[in-house]
Amino acid sequence: MGKLDGKVAAITGSTRSIGRAIAEAYLREGAKVVINGRSAEKGAAAMKEMGGGPNLAYFAGDARNQKDCEGIVDFTVEKFGKLDIMVLNSGGVENTAPVAMMTDEEWMMEVTWNLHSVFWGMRKSLQHMIPREAGRIIVTSSVEGKLGKPGIPGYAATKHAVLGLMKSAAREVGTLGITVNAILPGIIETDIVRETGPDSAIAMGVAGYDELIAMFCAESAIKRPNKVEEVAEVAVLLARDVAAGITGTSFPVDGGTMPY
Amino acid sequence: MELQGRVAVITGGTRGIGRAIAEGFLADGASVVINGRSAEKGAQAVKEMNGGDRVHFVQGDIKSREGCQAIIDAAIAKYGKIDIMVNNAGGATGHAPVIDLEDWAMEDSLKWNFWSTFWCTQMALRDMVPRGWGRIINVSSLEGKHGKPGVSIYVTAKHAINGFTKSCAQEIGTTGVTINCICPGAIETDIMRDEGPAAAASMGLTYQGLLDWFASEAAIKRLNTCEEVAAVASLLASEAGAGITGSMISVDGGTAAY
């Protein structure tokens, strides 16, 4: 018997890394799962690696596109009949630059990917969940949702912003059987961090990718990066029926990095 | 069976939150040592939990170092080690506004909530650190982050537990041992029924008024449940909990501001 038997989940940005680990954990616990990503190729690969099966579907879509953020909700309801759990996970560092140097276009890209996408997905999900008086919304924020590092102002600002959005929404739907929470992972060596890390390192004033990882590790108590599985098990907990009394919470998975 | 082969000690585990945590661990395969002051309640809890040789009750009061040591020693004597230490026992009596507060009430609350957590943590770490694996879970409170009038003895002690936890987490971060706090909102446990009326009176409220106040501050407009806390404790105790330390996890229905 799984902890999520009979539940239906959608996870944005989930063909790889954190989203993928959450999807795999949800499948293991008996949920039906819709995974999502921009690349149909990566989507097909993920479907194959995850064993396909009747409980798994892929929705091709870009979190920077409002239609896609809303489309995943419609797709999930059409495919599996409802949406119980929405994990708004897609995000990352698109542009690195100090505030003084950042262009409007770069800024808008950061805000669209990490904040607008969460708002669009959350609004659409709540419109489905509120009449049913049941649901779980889980936002992947970051250790940068409470702290800040030089050179990634867009990422830090938007990861802070989603926490405000999460807290407000949690208060709006608190008596409707819907919880809204955020998970705040520390550094994890995901594909996206490997891709964007070298640029981020330069923007933060450290020598390279390895030094970037070392800097994050040094700030933690455990002196190592976190793991996607550590995030995934928290996502399972927050999705469960027993988590009905946990809402509006910023759940750190950062090896003791954040001071509060 | 995530906790197969693990040994957990839960102070104040015969009823309420501690009991729910103990039952969660038991269901996940751990052996559990529960503790309380009353032998009668202990025997009853062991019987109700029906875990055979995987449930052991140790009578004892955690308000002294000797009392804590006796519990730790008994757990190691019974099961050979301690993998998971849940510092759950707590409460406060003698509530009054600070201007009228008597020393004994502050001292008693600090012993009951904070010193007991310090003592059991220190003793458990001495078993865990050399073995390179361990979980310390401190049951703090919403009042470890916020403050309410009239209950400063409790609020002070719970804040102290949070600070202690953060500092300790930095010390032991690379040892394979984690230490975290769970910060529950109000739950109507036996201890709440016992101590709540006096706390309410110190705030100028009826007991029901106190419960209503807590519920009204939450997004969910109700109190929490022991099972909600136990689910978080099980997560923190699991392998996946290895990357979570120094955290103050709220289980308060959306009450705490941070």
Side-chain angles (χ1 to χ4, degrees), chain B residues 148-223:
Chain B
K148 278 206 163 32
V151 291
S152 63
I153 53 175
Y154 188 72
V155 171
T156 301
K158 292 296 188 181
H159 273 69
I161 290 170
N162 287 10
F164 170 76
T165 300
K166 290 178 197 178
S167 197
C168 186
Q170 297 298 324
E171 291 176 4
I172 60 171
T174 60
T175 64
V177 183
T178 69
I179 178 167
N180 291 284
C181 288
I182 304 177
C183 300
I187 300 179
E188 216 184 349
T189 57
D190 289 351
I191 195 99
M192 174 69 104
R193 284 186 203 97
D194 292 345
E195 310 292 347
S202 179
M203 297 179 190
L205 295 169
T206 63
Y207 175 58
Q208 190 57 47
L210 171 70
L211 299 182
D212 290 346
W213 189 13
F214 275 102
S216 74
E217 287 185 332
I220 58 175
K221 306 300 175 198
R222 65 163 171 87
L223 304 183

Side-chain angles (χ1 to χ4, degrees), chain A residues 48-91:
Chain A
K48 196 173 160 199
E49 287 160 12
M50 294 170 76
N55 289 343
L56 182 64
Y58 168 71
F59 175 76
D62 186 338
R64 282 163 280 206
N65 181 331
Q66 181 174 352
K67 263 198 189 124
D68 291 351
C69 290
E70 297 174 348
I72 189 173
V73 176
D74 290 329
F75 174 84
T76 305
V77 173
E78 202 168 296
K79 178 81 188 168
F80 293 127
K82 60 175 179 172
L83 175 63
D84 297 304
I85 305 155
M86 184 64 174
V87 184
L88 298 161
N89 170 73
S90 180

